[in-house]
Amino acid sequence: MKKILFSICTLALLAFSAVSQAQEMQLGPGDMLKIDVYGNPDLSLETRVSDGGTISYPLVGEVAVGGLTPIAAEKKIAGLLESGGFIRKPHVNLVVTQMQSQQLSVLGQVNKPGRFPVDGKRSLTDIIAMAGGLNADADDNISLVRVRDGKTLREQVNLADIMSANGAVTNPQLQPGDVVYVNRAPRFYIYGEVQKPGSYRLEPDMNILQALSVGGGLSARGTERGVRVKRRDENGTMQILNVKHDDRVQVNDVIYVKESFF
């Protein structure tokens, strides 16, 4: 019984929090509104906020609602109706049926990139879930572009660190207008006498032996003595390097396994 009461109370608190957040959000271009005035059905209206942040309302004409919360917009419309002598003490109810202005963008290596509506603040992991999660090419490093106090802030966060058990890295809270870009994971390439030549994700601190394992290991004709790496130096010049099993693989390395002639 206690568990049931606790669950009911928790759901009620979450619902109250969601309503409170929705009432605190600012209206903007593209938002769909449903407006009713108690006792005056002829003043019921469904309308969209214009690019200029206004709506056209019966009797009072153009009303600037952009930047106002729904509660503030209700009070403004009520004030215009009363000051114009149309209705005495009107009770205006404004509901946002579709919040188009309060969106953020998720781009890059996610399953469903695009723009998503947000009702107040949402965590980074919430937004990635809304975008269908990361795809197979996604990197753990994610770029955030946010505007705060008129300044554009760019930040790199590591999703693996956020999800780690110690909780040392805080899950960023995102707001409408933010941009999330999921980078493509670094790659390396392997070909020659291996079981599964191709392009593979480069894991942190991966060494040559681990890379060969990812490629399925040597083929029947491959030789460990014939492993070479093609790597560009700082000047962009291609180098061919002899490597050992515990040497680290670098981004865009091309690992080649030669054929054994004996």
Side-chain angles (χ1 to χ4, degrees), residues 14-26 31 70 96-104 115-123 126-127 130 173-177:
L14 290 174
F16 177 77
S17 176
V19 171
S20 297
Q21 283 190 343
Q23 291 297 324
E24 292 173 359
M25 295 175 66
Q26 295 181 346
D31 292 345
V96 182
T97 58
Q98 190 175 13
M99 186 67 79
Q100 289 293 329
S101 65
Q102 304 295 306
Q103 295 185 331
L104 55 74
R115 290 174 59 80
F116 298 89
V118 289
D119 48 351
K121 293 182 179 180
R122 287 293 187 96
S123 69
D126 286 342
I127 296 303
M130 291 173 65
Q173 297 296 304
L174 305 180
Q175 298 179 12

Side-chain angles (χ1 to χ4, degrees), residues 47-165:
T47 186
R48 185 184 299 273
V49 181
S50 72
D51 290 341
T54 64
I55 61 170
S56 180
Y57 195 73
L59 301 179
V60 298
E62 292 291 312
V63 182
V65 296
L68 300 180
T69 65
I71 292 177
E74 288 176 349
K75 292 180 178 179
K76 184 171 187 177
I77 294 171
L80 292 171
L81 288 171
E82 186 166 22
S83 64
F86 304 110
I87 301 175
R88 184 180 179 185
K89 295 182 178 180
H91 295 281
V92 178
N93 181 52
L94 184 150
V95 177
V96 182
T97 58
Q98 190 175 13
M99 186 67 79
Q100 289 293 329
S101 65
Q102 304 295 306
Q103 295 185 331
L104 55 74
S105 300
V106 186
L107 307 173
Q109 306 303 318
V110 291
N111 289 309
K112 296 190 299 181
R115 290 174 59 80
F116 298 89
V118 289
D119 48 351
K121 293 182 179 180
R122 287 293 187 96
S123 69
L124 174 61
T125 51
D126 286 342
I127 296 303
I128 289 177
M130 291 173 65
L134 306 180
N135 65 28
D137 292 326
D139 191 15
D140 288 335
N141 291 311
I142 296 175
S143 301
L144 302 180
V145 180
R146 298 183 279 184
V147 177
R148 299 292 185 270
D149 299 324
K151 297 181 180 180
T152 301
L153 307 176
R154 290 176 172 82
E155 181 183 359
Q156 290 279 338
V157 296
N158 188 282
L159 189 61
D161 292 341
I162 293 172
M163 300 301 293
S164 65

